[in-house]
Amino acid sequence: MTSIGGAEMVDWNLAVATATRLVRPGPEVSRDDARAVVAELRRHAKASEEHVRGFTRMGGDDLHDTPILVVDRPGWVRANVAGFREILKPLLDKMQERRGSTPGGAVLGAVGGKVTGVELGMLLSFLASRVLGQYETFAPATRDLPAGANGGGRLLLVAPNIVHVERELDVQPHDFRLWVCLHEETHRTQFTAVPWLRDHLEGEIQSFLGETEVDPMTVLERIREAAQSLAGGRPEGEEGDDGRSIVEIVQTPAQREILGRLTAVMSLLEGHADFVMDGVGPEVVPSVAEIREKFQQRRARGASRLDLALRKLLGLDAKLRQYRDGERFVRAVVDEVGMDGFNRVWTSPNTLPTKTEIAKPADWVARVHRKAES
């Protein structure tokens, strides 16, 4: 930032610095063991390509040009800040224009950008210790964080978190690492084998953000509420004024419609990844049944009342529902029409399931298959 008048709504550099400073250290691992974990995750990620392609019947040898990055917690933070900054730019530009038209808006913006940067950093430090892996879709490539050609993303595997969870669950480390890689590789396959998917998802997000008429202070207050929960500024377990998550600040019917479509797509993607992970697992992961049972218990249990409150505020409880509902949808459709029949879902945006169809897979089968056959 070169001047107060040019201050951004969020000081992104400060967000990264704050998160990096506050994030908890990972589990104790010797240097040699850490190198071995990284090498093994890379091998498993590479092996997962063939497993996932064979099971899903999606993609080809020339599609996986996106890099595999094994990162630590600060590396995950940097990658996600880059993604947030890119996808939220239109909304933040709009908010900044509105702020600039108010008396004292520039001075308040300079202060507010730093405050919000600190608070966003607090949230990222919380999340950075929980994410096992991620297909990062939208961030541009940089020297430190390469991405695929032609706007492709990158596959992130957060090594310390994977080691932490495998120890917590007391499962076979090699099996667990491959199991995680199968899930994340499925996401990479989804976006590389379906060329229109990334642009479609970005278009939906930008349409949603473009409809936003919310006062900037309301968005900043949601971030503040979450940060205060982490810092103990509000009694444990107490929610915001209306119990809504940050992503539920929806003001218009158009946004509700877009959010419904986004929810359906994310349920499909997450459920498909879980389905593939379980489908491939028995062939290549000997202890998959034990891993799945323990991991499901961990997902449902949460760490504490504070963790549950933050899940609600950040919309993470919705993500857990997406895994469950999406996996049921995929399983029901594959049982009815087979894998090739299910793969019609990737034909175009028109063949994606609606939010209603996620809950009623037979309706999707009737719409996409029966109509095509009539």
Side-chain angles (χ1 to χ4, degrees), residues 30-304:
S30 70
R31 181 170 297 182
D32 288 343
D33 285 345
R35 288 173 176 164
V37 170
V38 170
E40 183 174 26
L41 286 172
R42 290 187 182 280
R43 289 196 304 272
H44 283 332
K46 187 66 178 174
S48 294
E49 293 183 20
E50 183 176 349
H51 295 316
V52 170
R53 283 202 304 266
F55 184 79
T56 64
R57 303 176 193 173
M58 296 172 65
D61 293 337
D62 59 337
L63 291 177
H64 288 160
D65 66 337
T66 53
I68 299 165
L69 305 180
V70 182
V71 298
D72 56 10
R73 290 169 177 174
W76 179 87
V77 168
R78 289 192 295 273
N80 276 267
V81 165
F84 291 156
R85 189 171 190 171
E86 183 75 11
I87 202 70
L88 292 177
K89 188 176 186 304
L91 174 61
L92 294 179
D93 285 348
K94 180 190 238 182
M95 292 168 63
Q96 188 159 344
E97 288 176 11
R98 180 177 295 185
R99 183 196 65 198
S101 65
T102 61
V107 175
L108 290 173
V111 176
K114 291 187 176 300
V115 171
T116 307
V118 169
E119 291 172 338
L120 179 60
M122 292 172 66
L123 292 180
L124 288 169
S125 72
F126 168 80
L127 294 171
S129 63
R130 284 159 170 74
V131 177
L132 301 182
Q134 174 185 0
Y135 185 76
E136 210 293 312
T137 316
F138 300 113
T142 66
R143 184 180 63 182
D144 296 329
L145 292 167
N150 302 317
R154 50 190 167 231
L155 181 63
L156 305 176
L157 296 169
V158 191
N161 295 350
I162 293 172
V163 172
H164 171 78
V165 173
E166 70 192 26
R167 291 178 178 178
E168 178 187 334
L169 298 182
D170 190 23
V171 292
Q172 215 287 333
H174 304 293
D175 285 2
F176 183 73
R177 293 166 195 175
L178 177 55
W179 190 73
V180 170
C181 288
L182 289 170
H183 182 100
E184 303 309 331
E185 175 58 35
T186 303
H187 287 316
R188 187 162 72 139
T189 296
Q190 290 162 349
F191 281 94
T192 53
V194 185
W196 53 265
L197 183 58
R198 179 188 180 277
D199 289 342
H200 172 72
L201 198 57
E202 182 175 15
E204 292 279 58
I205 293 171
Q206 293 303 338
S207 295
F208 178 86
L209 296 178
E211 291 282 340
T212 299
E213 295 297 340
V214 70
D215 182 84
M217 292 309 299
T218 304
V219 176
L220 301 185
E221 181 60 26
R222 296 298 178 197
I223 296 174
R224 188 163 294 113
E225 286 173 1
Q228 286 174 348
S229 293
L230 282 177
R234 188 192 304 115
E236 185 175 299
E238 182 180 321
E239 297 179 1
D241 57 354
D242 58 6
R244 292 185 300 171
S245 72
I246 288 173
V247 297
E248 290 173 320
I249 308 171
V250 178
Q251 299 296 310
T252 69
Q255 283 184 310
R256 294 188 186 95
E257 185 177 332
I258 296 167
L259 189 58
R261 294 197 299 267
L262 281 169
T263 298
V265 173
M266 297 312 298
S267 296
L268 170 69
L269 299 180
E270 296 294 357
H272 184 233
D274 264 12
F275 177 79
V276 172
M277 184 167 58
D278 288 346
V280 174
E283 296 293 328
V284 298
V285 182
S287 60
V288 65
E290 178 191 3
I291 291 172
R292 182 64 157 156
E293 181 181 0
K294 289 183 175 180
F295 195 77
Q296 287 287 66
Q297 291 173 354
R298 182 180 185 272
R299 269 183 182 171
R301 185 173 62 243
S304 65

